[in-house]
């Protein structure tokens, strides 16, 4: 299979240049090639988007919205096809892949409310016959860059919001997981979206670096690791581009003495091992108060031992592989680091047993470290794999100190039934997203999604009204109404009625 660029309403069939093999992480088989597009090809895509902006931004809003409604319907009608694409090249377990597609369906529902959210404001009577108006205006071409782990979700965070508000878009999927966007783009093509409104270009940083000094580009968005977010922030800053850059994460889950235990263990498994731990909201640091620490460790290690690993398309297993050989090596390296640092390796996920026919896949099994010190590398750095570290603290304040010492501030969860702990945690945890008795604190699409500190490098979060703010600017107009007959415009007792009658 040849993964293709889509520029100016057409699939680009002939690609001459570098390409990377696309692998199925579940079995290591080569699925096809992903083009590594050049600087000039990247500029071709933004040129097409800039041309399209001229007419797309002027299209009456109901007509623009009609495409968003159709996009939503196309996703509903092709749910399984889209979910399978994620389970194949990203090797997200098929049940979770269905969940990701469903989440994007909900994001599109949110995007359908955009006409109500982009209404402007008017203030009259600033001075005699002068009033002021604010309209939420589109900015032009936005370019977006996706991570490998949420190929559908990140499409949903960027494209519907950008184009519904009148902008056009160039999107670079991750070269590890381009299949979703190949299928989604075909669905968008089939509903007849005008050429150039959405363009797809595959490649590496060369494609992105072409955008920094491109006068056609108004702003860039990224969901990816913090080093990539910082590199893009520099490029955007130097060139005055708007930037919405979500970075990496290291999330904590605090367990108080009154935590509902069955719910807790179920949620740690989903959070820590879902997507094989490759999730920006994975709770990889479990911080338990001393009264309950031993119980948490015993139950978590037992439950983790039962987690099954295998082909992401197999509905009977719990967890698929990690994305590629480099990720497997990096995660195994972190496991060794944890051992070398003196943490107790209570469950070792290296070299899990899988059936022979998938033994070339990139598997790491559930791994649990206990007796972890918050200053250890495994507690501080993003491992991005199915590795959970358990730490002991004395009380809620101790837990908050560990949470807040993290450089990243994406999400943090607490398990408790106590309203004092709940409210204190919501108020004092230095993160962008808090969860209470949930393992993955992903906010609904009506609400903003994003962290603080090193987890958010640009100024805006995705989803909700934050996304509208990012993809529009508040354009103001100061309007003096001049009477064409030379009057002041103020109603005159003498002639106003008479002139109205005469007209
Ligand atoms: P990555 O940063 O390696 O790559 C992300 C994208 O950026 C890819 O498309 C890649 O080609 C491109 N890229 C890489 N280096 C670049 C550079 N120097 N300049 C421009 N573009 C560059 O991330 P990944 O490994 O694909 O994804 C995992 C990371 O994404 C994790 O750190 C995870 O926490 C993060 N993530 C964050 C969120 C969030 O909501 N904050 C959500 C999902 C993933």
């Amino acid at each position: 299979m040849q993964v293709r660029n889509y520029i100016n309403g057409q699939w680009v069939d002939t690609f001459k240049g570098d390409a990377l093999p696309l692998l199925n992480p579940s079995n290591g088989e080569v699925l096809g090639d992903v083009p590594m597009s050049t600087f000039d090809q990247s500029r071709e895509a933004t040129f097409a988007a800039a041309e399209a902006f001229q007419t797309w931004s002027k299209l009456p809003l109901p007509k623009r919205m009609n495409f968003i409604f159709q996009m939503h319907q196309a996703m509903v009608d092709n749910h399984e096809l889209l979910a399978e694409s994620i389970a194949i090249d990203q090797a997200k377990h098929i049940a979770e892949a269905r969940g990701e597609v469903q989440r994007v369906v909900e994001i599109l529902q949110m995007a359908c409310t955009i006409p109500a959210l982009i209404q402007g404001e008017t203030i009259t009577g600033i001075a005699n016959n002068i009033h002021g108006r604010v309209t939420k205006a589109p900015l032009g071409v936005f370019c977006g860059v996706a991570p490998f782990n949420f190929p559908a979700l990140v499409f949903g965070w960027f494209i519907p919001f950008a184009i519904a508000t009148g902008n056009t878009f160039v999107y670079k999927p991750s070269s590890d997981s381009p299949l979703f966007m190949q299928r989604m783009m075909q669905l968008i093509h089939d509903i007849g979206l005008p050429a150039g409104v959405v363009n797809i270009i595959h490649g590496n940083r060369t494609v992105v670096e072409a955008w920094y000094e491109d006068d056609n580009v108004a702003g860039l968005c990224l969901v990816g690791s913090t080093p990539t977010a910082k590199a893009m922030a520099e490029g955007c800053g130097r060139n005055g581009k708007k930037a919405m850059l979500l970075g990496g994460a290291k999330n904590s889950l605090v367990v108080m003495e009154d935590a509902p235990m069955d719910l807790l263990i179920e949620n740690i498994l989903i959070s820590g091992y879902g997507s094989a731990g490759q999730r920006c909201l994975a709770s990889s640091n479990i911080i338990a108060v001393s009264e309950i620490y031993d119980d948490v460790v015993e139950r978590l290690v037992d439950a983790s031992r039962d987690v099954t690993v295998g082909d992401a398309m197999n509905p009977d297993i719990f967890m698929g592989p990690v994305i590629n050989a480099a990720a497997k090596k990096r995660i195994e390296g972190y496991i060794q680091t944890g051992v070398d640092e003196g943490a107790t390796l209570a469950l070792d996920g290296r070299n899990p047993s899988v059936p022979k026919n998938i033994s070339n896949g990139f598997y790491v099994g559930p791994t649990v470290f206990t007796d972890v010190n918050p200053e250890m590398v495994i507690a501080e750095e993003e491992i991005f794999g199915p590795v959970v570290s358990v730490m002991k603290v004395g009380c809620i304040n101790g837990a908050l100190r560990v949470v807040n010492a993290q450089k990243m501030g994406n999400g943090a969860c607490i398990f408790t039934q106590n309203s004092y702990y709940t409210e204190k945690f919501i108020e004092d945890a230095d993160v962008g997203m808090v969860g209470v008795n949930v393992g993955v604190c992903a906010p609904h699409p009506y609400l903003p999604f994003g962290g603080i500190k090193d987890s958010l490098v640009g100024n805006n979060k995705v989803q909700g009204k934050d996304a509208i703010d990012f993809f529009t600017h508040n354009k103001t107009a100061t309007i003096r109404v001049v009477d064409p007959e030379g009057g002041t415009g103020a109603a005159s007792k003498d002639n106003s009625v008479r002139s109205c009658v005469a007209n």
Side-chain angles (χ1 to χ4, degrees), residues 145-149 172 205 223-225 228 246-248 280 382 384 449:
V145 186
F148 76 82
N149 65 326
K172 189 192 94 56
R205 55 191 286 181
V223 177
S225 64
T228 304
L246 273 64
C280 68
E382 182 177 34
F384 222 52
F449 183 118

Side-chain angles (χ1 to χ4, degrees), residues 114-128:
I114 278 178
L117 298 172
I118 57 168
Q119 293 177 18
E121 293 171 350
T122 301
I123 181 162
T124 53
I126 291 168
N128 273 347

Side-chain angles (χ1 to χ4, degrees), residues 249-270:
K250 183 77 179 179
N251 310 298
S252 306
L253 187 154
V254 171
V255 188
M256 300 307 296
E257 63 278 6
D258 62 341
M261 281 302 271
D262 290 343
L263 185 71
L264 170 78
I265 299 300
E266 186 194 334
N267 272 268
I268 297 179
L269 298 188
I270 292 168

Side-chain angles (χ1 to χ4, degrees), residues 4-13 41 44-53 55 67 168-171 182 184-201:
R4 293 179 295 170
N5 291 339
Y6 179 89
I7 297 175
N8 204 21
Q10 289 182 331
W11 290 107
V12 182
D13 275 318
Q41 287 162 330
E44 253 174 63
T46 54
F47 182 78
E51 294 279 294
F53 178 72
T55 41
F67 288 108
T168 54
F169 210 88
V170 179
Y171 187 57
Q182 293 284 288
M184 190 66 218
M185 195 66 242
Q186 185 60 48
L187 298 176
I188 294 173
H189 177 90
D190 292 346
I191 64 175
L193 190 77
V197 175
V198 176
N199 305 272
I200 306 298
I201 183 129

